[in-house]
Amino acid sequence: MSQYRMDEELVQSIAALPAVDRTDVAEARRIVSSRYAGTGSVEGVSVHECSCTAADGHVIALRVYRPSRRTSSGAIYHVHGGGFILGDPDMSHLRNAELARETGAVVVAVAYRLAPEWPFPTPLDDVYSGLLWLREHTGELGIDPSQIVLHGVSAGGALAAAAALLARDRNGPPVRFQFLKSPALDDRLRTASSRRFTDTPALTRRDAELSWSAYLGRAAGAVSPYAAPARATDLTNLPPAYVSVAEFDPLRDEGIDFARSLLAAGVPVELHLFPGTYHGSGAVREAAVSRRELSEEVAVLRTVLERPGQPAAPRDDEGNRAHV
């Protein structure tokens, strides 16, 4: 790794990263799940397990985070990462609770089915079904249906961006904003960063190849832009976006390219490259660059979730207006 000029505060964390062989999916899942912080309670946030039903009858688990002090009438719909084959809402549980508390908005996380057992389009269908459920339950959750933010990390970024495309093309739920964090968007892996950063920490080029192969399965013919949003030729009329990328990440340039394509299509975009970072290095919370990354995430989401013209009245965790 000496050829990469990593942030000095991140260097030590690299040695502690577990070796995850994605060709052994069961073992990879065991290793990744063993690193979760768990699903314990978080001060100032109540957590509720819910579910919705996919078109094929599968029950999709959803986790709803309600801050005890509601200062926003919006909602953040979170789609976890894991290369399409790993992870579940547990992996981002504590961060989702923090986002709920720090933005004052409801957060909903979706447990979509994973590849290779469930390749495209099933994971995306699950994510979209969860978005439909959120739209249908805005009343009881005290959410303004025009203030729903899609929030995706890594492979979850691909699913969030694809859900935005589906919502536009199916005249589905209105999406206020899409927050794409180190998104995996292009199965072709032809960018300079994907060719150069073949052995970077946490995510190598080989990892990306295995992830896309599992997600796309044995489907013949052209890859759908709903599977790999970088392939979309029409990005007009999509919600505004924030895209963040890590400097030393095979996915870096596809995130940058997607942001540029959105801009060319007339979609407002904010793009941020965090220097000296690797894929998922924000988990090293004590590093100054990670603190900047996490605080900017909250700042961006707070700004987006403010109601136009006036701040939202604080609400309690049952969605009622709170007295202040």
Side-chain angles (χ1 to χ4, degrees), residues 72-97:
S72 169
S73 60
I76 299 167
Y77 184 57
H78 172 75
V79 189
H80 69 79
F84 304 109
I85 62 177
L86 308 172
D88 56 41
D90 288 357
M91 72 189 302
S92 45
H93 172 72
L94 292 181
R95 183 55 180 166
N96 284 337

Side-chain angles (χ1 to χ4, degrees), residues 94-181:
L94 292 181
R95 183 55 180 166
N96 284 337
E98 287 179 343
L99 289 177
R101 186 179 62 218
E102 295 180 26
T103 65
V106 170
V107 175
V108 177
V110 58
Y112 58 89
R113 282 171 282 183
L114 301 173
E117 299 92 333
W118 298 100
F120 174 83
T122 298
L124 177 57
D125 289 343
D126 288 355
V127 169
Y128 192 71
S129 294
L131 180 62
L132 293 174
W133 177 92
L134 178 56
R135 173 63 182 85
E136 292 166 0
H137 291 78
T138 51
E140 66 189 72
L141 292 172
I143 294 168
D144 180 342
S146 70
Q147 295 292 309
I148 295 175
V149 172
L150 290 173
H151 182 277
V153 179
S154 191
L159 293 165
L165 285 166
L166 279 180
R168 179 198 65 182
D169 296 344
R170 295 181 180 178
N171 195 26
V175 175
R176 172 72 181 84
F177 194 81
Q178 46 185 330
F179 189 104
L180 309 178
K181 189 172 185 177

Side-chain angles (χ1 to χ4, degrees), residues 257-269:
D257 291 347
F258 191 68
R260 290 169 61 91
S261 295
L262 287 169
L263 284 170
V267 177
V269 179

Side-chain angles (χ1 to χ4, degrees), residues 20-25 82-85 115-116 187 189 203-217:
V20 178
D21 179 5
R22 299 186 186 211
T23 61
D24 186 342
V25 175
F84 304 109
I85 62 177
D187 65 293
L189 298 174
L203 185 74
T204 66
R205 179 186 174 88
R206 180 59 175 158
D207 292 335
E209 291 171 343
L210 290 168
S211 295
W212 279 113
S213 177
Y215 184 48
L216 298 178

Side-chain angles (χ1 to χ4, degrees), residues 257-287:
D257 291 347
F258 191 68
R260 290 169 61 91
S261 295
L262 287 169
L263 284 170
V267 177
V269 179
E270 182 172 352
L271 171 66
H272 196 138
L273 182 151
F274 288 93
T277 56
Y278 59 85
H279 191 84
S281 63
V284 187
R285 298 168 69 97
E286 62 273 18

